[in-house]
Amino acid sequence: VQDITRRREAEEEQHVLRRQLAHVSRVATVGELTAALAHEINQPLAAILANAQAARHIIAGEEPDLAELQAILDDIINDDKRAREVIRRVRSMLRKDGSKPEKVDINRIIQDAVKLVEHESDFKGISVVMDLADGLKPVMGDRIQVGQVVVNLLVNAVEAVGEVSDPSRSIIVGSRMEDERGVVVSVRDTGKGIGEESLQHLFEPFYTTKESGLGLGLSISRSIIEAHGGRLSALRNPDRGATFCFTLPAAEEADTI
Ligand SMILES: Nc1ncnc2c1ncn2[C@@H]1O[C@H](COP(=O)(O)OP(=O)(O)OP(=O)(O)O)[C@@H](O)[C@H]1O
Ligand SMILES: [Mg+2]
């Protein structure tokens, strides 16, 4: 009984650690987004400043046009709301328990993720092909977290393929229904493949074979998928390279997104 209790405690501890890691990594992603967000907030701020200066100009005149002032104030309020909305989005990403399950279109998430890594894959001369099923059911989940998993798998695939020199280097990312109740996403590459020894440790936090790797991508990805009630696994392809697959349960009464 004591053994079981200890194991449970250890499992719980690991669970907490993974959640913290997922949070850290989400914060890091936000860090990378900061430049883009600063740009987005800068725009309404500049508009507010221009409008406020115009209003001061009007008030200083002989007969201030009140209708004009009214319109300027409306503009200022709208621009302020825009800036606040940007900040709200960032804050909900930073919150520790910020996940809000919603119906998520997996194909859309894959398309967005591919766009994010395309620059890198193009640069390395690797083609990323999408093989997405029609009529896929949505899944319940946090689109940012699930998107993060697809990006992690794609980045790993690009890195693995980048290490081999072969003209037919490619990555295929696919989606399909498993049965009526589950959606499967697979990322198949023709990269350097996974050694027998590596296969045992891939999903452990801080396991890495890369000089500049943290070894967190797969462990965070697995904890995200498991928190969504799914599974993430790795396979060695019969010819060459590796395939990573995850399943997610389809949303109930899920015909619309
Ligand atoms: N597609 C793949 N092909 C071959 N090996 C892979 C593949 N994906 C992951 N691996 C192996 O699993 C290890 C762990 O991957 P993981 O994504 O967790 O960490 P990482 O990529 O090394 O670092 P990072 O924290 O930046 O993601 C990698 O170092 C690599 O050895
Ligand atoms: Mg990685």
Side-chain angles (χ1 to χ4, degrees):
V1 173
Q2 248 179 6
D3 268 1
I4 294 176
T5 316
R6 219 173 294 143
R7 207 174 60 217
R8 287 234 176 92
E9 276 169 11
E11 271 171 12
E12 178 55 24
E13 231 167 73
Q14 213 183 13
H15 194 67
V16 170
L17 179 71
R18 281 194 182 159
R19 264 206 318 260
Q20 285 168 346
L21 291 177
H23 177 235
V24 167
S25 133
R26 220 163 349 122
V27 173
T29 315
V30 171
E32 283 155 26
L33 288 177
T34 303
L37 291 167
H39 177 78
E40 259 185 88
I41 294 175
N42 219 17
Q43 235 179 326
L45 280 181
I48 288 170
L49 180 64
N51 270 320
Q53 283 168 336
R56 202 161 65 179
H57 205 73
I58 291 172
I59 289 172
E62 289 283 278
E63 272 175 52
D65 181 343
L66 287 185
E68 182 71 29
L69 280 175
Q70 180 78 45
I72 286 177
L73 285 174
D74 286 346
D75 279 354
I76 288 177
I77 288 168
N78 285 333
D79 282 323
D80 185 280
K81 283 185 181 157
R82 257 171 67 203
R84 216 170 47 181
E85 178 58 22
V86 174
I87 291 167
R88 191 194 60 74
R89 268 185 1 233
V90 183
R91 284 172 73 156
S92 71
M93 270 179 88
L94 283 168
R95 253 204 315 267
K96 261 207 178 111
D97 53 357
S99 70
K100 201 173 62 193
E102 52 191 337
K103 278 185 186 172
V104 173
D105 175 359
I106 282 286
N107 284 348
R108 176 83 194 279
I109 286 187
I110 293 174
Q111 285 159 348
D112 289 348
V114 167
K115 263 185 229 132
L116 279 177
V117 300
E118 231 163 26
H119 183 74
E120 187 65 18
S121 57
D122 279 355
F123 178 73
K124 291 186 171 167
I126 301 165
S127 67
V128 181
V129 178
M130 285 186 269
D131 179 17
L132 308 180
D134 290 329
L136 214 58
K137 284 187 178 171
V139 300
M140 282 309 276
D142 180 314
R143 72 178 70 236
I144 292 167
Q145 289 185 7
V146 177
Q148 195 184 338
V149 172
V150 181
V151 169
N152 283 342
L153 297 181
L154 283 172
V155 168
N156 280 346
V158 169
E159 286 168 350
V161 177
E163 287 195 30
V164 298
S165 50
D166 187 296
S168 62
R169 304 181 310 163
S170 68
I171 296 166
I172 302 171
V173 47
S175 67
R176 60 189 161 83
M177 293 301 297
E178 187 173 38
D179 42 47
E180 279 309 288
R181 286 170 296 128
V183 174
V184 187
V185 175
S186 59
V187 178
R188 184 189 177 96
D189 67 57
T190 57
K192 71 181 170 89
I194 308 168
E196 190 64 57
E197 161 76 9
S198 258
L199 202 56
Q200 314 289 324
H201 303 290
L202 290 181
F203 295 97
E204 289 168 13
F206 305 113
Y207 174 80
T208 183
T209 56
K210 297 168 194 169
E211 225 163 84
S212 61
L214 286 175
L216 289 180
L218 286 178
S219 92
I220 288 169
S221 298
R222 180 173 264 182
S223 69
I224 290 173
I225 294 301
E226 286 177 356
H228 281 78
R231 278 169 291 119
L232 168 64
S233 49
L235 294 166
R236 299 162 71 182
N237 296 337
D239 42 0
R240 66 208 161 114
T243 301
F244 286 79
C245 280
F246 67 81
T247 60
L248 286 174
E252 313 259 317
E253 8 112 13
D255 25 43
T256 50
I257 289 179

